[in-house]
């Protein structure tokens, strides 16, 4: 699952990115409205978080622009402004949630992000099963139903989660790179191939029938056993 954070306070941005990454999210952070528009328009994010405290009018204009251009990604506003006019203006401009900085703690913020991503159809549960394979996001594990479990690295977790969210659908390698490594990453196809091989090895060790199928030259899909 990948988030975009638009926050011009560098220290706060770094703190939020660390919190999200500790909870297994991929995060891209940008500091300007122009970059926020560019990145948010790419359609690779599960949610966008925008701070409007310091440059409120400009960032609300960015929010309106995204909605005018039919970008439907869930958007959360972070703000120190607690007056009804600011809240109503942001929500009417297309925000899905409004979080007042002085009132939130990290656990609450993460819970509200999970609620946002549910609206886009991302995995709702911390544990989800496809075929005879279970993904336990909380413990970063793959498990054979009723059997053994194996730990996943963060990249393995993010890739297999993407496949679980889109069973029977071929996920292009380009999409995997954008979602897991980020739009400006130098990652190449072989990076994806290496991690897919790691995941497949763990699935083989678990002796599950569920498989990751290769669409040659295109990408991968999660499939039931034939």
């Amino acid at each position: 699952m990948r988030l975009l954070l638009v926050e011009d306070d560098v220290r706060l941005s770094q703190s939020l990115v660390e919190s999200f990454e500790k909870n297994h999210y991929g995060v891209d952070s940008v500091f300007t409205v122009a970059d926020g528009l560019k990145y948010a328009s790419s359609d690779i994010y599960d949610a966008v978080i925008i701070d409007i405290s310091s440059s409120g009018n400009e960032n609300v204009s960015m929010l309106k622009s995204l909605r005018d251009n039919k970008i439907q990604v869930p958007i959360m506003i972070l703000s120190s402004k607690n007056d009804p006019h600011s809240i109503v203006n942001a929500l009417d401009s297309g925000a899905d949630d409004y979080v007042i900085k002085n009132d939130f703690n990290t656990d609450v913020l993460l819970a509200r992000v999970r609620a946002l991503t549910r609206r886009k159809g991302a995995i709702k549960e911390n544990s989800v099963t496809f075929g005879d394979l279970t993904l336990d996001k909380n413990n970063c594990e793959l498990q054979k139903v009723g059997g053994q479990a194996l730990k996943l690295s963060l990249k393995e977790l993010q890739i297999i989660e993407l496949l679980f969210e889109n069973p029977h659908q071929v996920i292009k390698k380009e999409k995997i790179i954008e979602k897991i490594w980020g739009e400006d990453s130098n990652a190449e196809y072989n990076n994806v191939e290496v991690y897919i091989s790691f995941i497949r090895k763990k699935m083989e060790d678990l002796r599950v029938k569920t498989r990751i199928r290769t669409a040659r030259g295109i990408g991968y899909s999660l499939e039931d056993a034939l």
Side-chain angles (χ1 to χ4, degrees), residues 69-125:
N69 286 292
K70 310 302 181 185
I71 305 300
Q72 298 301 316
V73 61
I75 297 176
M76 174 189 290
I77 295 299
L78 288 181
S79 179
S80 57
K81 299 178 180 179
N82 194 15
D83 61 285
H85 173 75
S86 296
I87 298 171
V88 170
N89 186 37
L91 294 174
D92 283 349
S93 297
D96 298 281
D97 197 3
Y98 189 103
V99 178
I100 299 165
K101 284 184 175 181
N102 296 336
D103 290 345
F104 81 81
N105 64 35
T106 302
D107 289 340
V108 171
L109 180 63
L110 289 166
R112 294 179 81 151
V113 169
R114 289 194 295 272
L116 270 187
T117 55
R118 283 199 294 270
R119 298 174 197 176
K120 194 180 179 184
I123 294 177
K124 299 179 182 181
E125 300 83 11

Side-chain angles (χ1 to χ4, degrees), residues 141-154:
E141 290 181 342
L142 274 182
Q143 181 180 19
K144 181 176 182 178
V145 173
Q148 180 187 6
L150 292 175
K151 286 288 184 182
L152 297 166
S153 70
L154 178 57

Side-chain angles (χ1 to χ4, degrees), residues 38-186:
K38 172 187 171 184
Y39 279 66
S41 299
S42 66
D43 196 33
I44 67 169
Y45 297 102
D46 298 288
V48 175
I49 301 166
I50 302 172
D51 184 288
I52 65 169
S53 300
S54 57
S55 52
N57 291 336
E58 191 176 5
N59 285 3
V60 169
S61 295
M62 176 181 70
L63 170 59
K64 289 179 179 178
S65 179
L66 289 172
R67 295 313 192 208
D68 288 344
N69 286 292
K70 310 302 181 185
I71 305 300
Q72 298 301 316
V73 61
I75 297 176
M76 174 189 290
I77 295 299
L78 288 181
S79 179
S80 57
K81 299 178 180 179
N82 194 15
D83 61 285
H85 173 75
S86 296
I87 298 171
V88 170
N89 186 37
L91 294 174
D92 283 349
S93 297
D96 298 281
D97 197 3
Y98 189 103
V99 178
I100 299 165
K101 284 184 175 181
N102 296 336
D103 290 345
F104 81 81
N105 64 35
T106 302
D107 289 340
V108 171
L109 180 63
L110 289 166
R112 294 179 81 151
V113 169
R114 289 194 295 272
L116 270 187
T117 55
R118 283 199 294 270
R119 298 174 197 176
K120 194 180 179 184
I123 294 177
K124 299 179 182 181
E125 300 83 11
N126 287 320
S127 178
V128 62
T129 297
F130 178 81
D132 58 351
L133 186 66
T134 294
L135 173 63
D136 183 339
K137 292 169 58 182
N138 271 352
N139 294 312
C140 292
E141 290 181 342
L142 274 182
Q143 181 180 19
K144 181 176 182 178
V145 173
Q148 180 187 6
L150 292 175
K151 286 288 184 182
L152 297 166
S153 70
L154 178 57
K155 285 286 191 295
E156 291 169 349
L157 172 67
Q158 291 172 333
I159 291 171
I160 194 66
E161 180 183 10
L162 184 59
L163 296 176
F164 263 89
E165 288 176 353
N166 301 277
H168 305 299
Q169 298 180 38
V170 175
I171 308 300
K172 294 182 178 180
K173 293 179 182 179
E174 295 95 331
K175 183 80 168 184
I176 295 174
I177 289 173
E178 289 177 346
K179 291 281 285 185
I180 308 306
W181 279 270
E183 191 173 58
D184 293 334
S185 168
N186 293 321

